[in-house]
Amino acid sequence: MRLDVVTLFPDWFDWFGSQRHVANALAAGHELRTLDLREHTPLSGGQVDDTPFGGGAGMVLRVDVMDAALRAHYGVDPVELRRERRVIALTPGGRLLDDRLVDELAQEPDITLLCGRYEGFDERIVEHFASDAVSIGEYVLAGGELAAMVVCDAVMRKLPGALGHSDSVREESFSAALEGRPEYPHYTRPAEFRGWRVPDVLLSGHHEQIRAWRLQRSRERGATGDE
Ligand code: ADE
């Protein structure tokens, strides 16, 4: 998979790219690149944003700046780009990110993430350049970069080779294997600490009973979104 992040803060992603599972995914041939909006702006002084028409606080990322950056990088009209790849605008008003969407994105060969800043994007960016608008939660961040990292993190850990153990992805919170529910609790050594004992069944070696206990605990922990 190739993940491109369009941002005003490309160096934030240096740290992100060094995280173990991301580094593993990159070593396995997946790519994470950044595209600096300021490098491509046609405006003087590195300007990328402007005051909102109609008044109001804050600044809005300009559509001509996003157009120039995408055009320079991909060599196509950005209106066409979303026919070739998922182009995701990160915005609090978008589709809420969940495991289903993460699974869907993990199947894509190419994704571009657009990070807004300040008051966000000129709406024409979302309308004409993006294939999707995605939110990581109903709260407002100062920009889309952390949201882009959340999306990249959740997607990249699903890629083959990112985690040491492929079962960790198959049977985890919200996965189909757990009927979309939160994961069961985990325990490790010591088996007893300050009188707090690990449930006997987990020490029993009865795999079928352990499986049934885990499924039951997962069911107790949460309802799925469909209930
Ligand atoms: N940009 C600002 N807030 C955001 C959010 N909650 N999700 C995605 N992008 C954002």
Side-chain angles (χ1 to χ4, degrees), residues 4-45:
D4 294 343
V5 184
V6 185
T7 171
L8 288 170
F9 299 94
D11 51 332
W12 288 25
F13 291 84
D14 295 344
W15 166 82
F16 179 70
S18 70
Q19 299 311 295
R20 173 78 69 86
H21 65 288
V22 180
N24 286 348
L26 299 181
H30 303 289
E31 289 178 46
L32 174 65
R33 299 182 303 183
T34 52
L35 168 54
D36 187 347
L37 269 173
R38 225 179 280 282
E39 246 176 47
H40 298 282
T41 179
L43 308 175
S44 61

Side-chain angles (χ1 to χ4, degrees), residues 137-176:
E138 291 178 352
Y139 42 81
V140 181
L141 300 165
E145 282 75 13
L146 290 175
M149 285 186 207
V150 168
V151 173
C152 290
D153 187 293
V155 169
M156 291 183 92
R157 65 188 290 286
K158 300 245 188 196
L159 300 177
L163 297 182
H165 204 286
S166 60
D167 283 353
S168 345
V169 170
R170 205 186 63 77
E171 195 175 283
E172 65 180 358
S173 290
F174 318 117
S175 61

Side-chain angles (χ1 to χ4, degrees), residues 89-94 116 118 134-145 147-148:
L90 293 155
T91 169
Y118 321 115
V134 169
S135 166
I136 64 159
E138 291 178 352
Y139 42 81
V140 181
L141 300 165
E145 282 75 13

Side-chain angles (χ1 to χ4, degrees), residues 73-155:
H73 189 74
Y74 295 106
V76 294
D77 182 336
V79 170
E80 305 298 328
L81 189 63
R82 64 181 175 181
R83 287 191 240 285
E84 297 170 9
R85 49 162 58 226
R86 290 290 271 268
V87 180
I88 299 174
L90 293 155
T91 169
R95 171 179 168 188
L96 216 49
L97 186 70
D98 61 8
D99 193 59
R100 218 175 303 180
L101 178 53
V102 172
D103 268 338
E104 192 184 310
L105 296 179
Q107 307 302 319
E108 294 285 339
D110 296 294
I111 296 178
T112 301
L113 298 167
L114 309 180
C115 301
R117 267 276 133 188
Y118 321 115
E119 287 304 298
F121 303 103
D122 184 304
E123 189 59 23
R124 290 168 290 185
I125 294 175
V126 182
E127 224 172 277
H128 300 290
F129 299 162
S131 57
D132 309 69
V134 169
S135 166
I136 64 159
E138 291 178 352
Y139 42 81
V140 181
L141 300 165
E145 282 75 13
L146 290 175
M149 285 186 207
V150 168
V151 173
C152 290
D153 187 293
V155 169

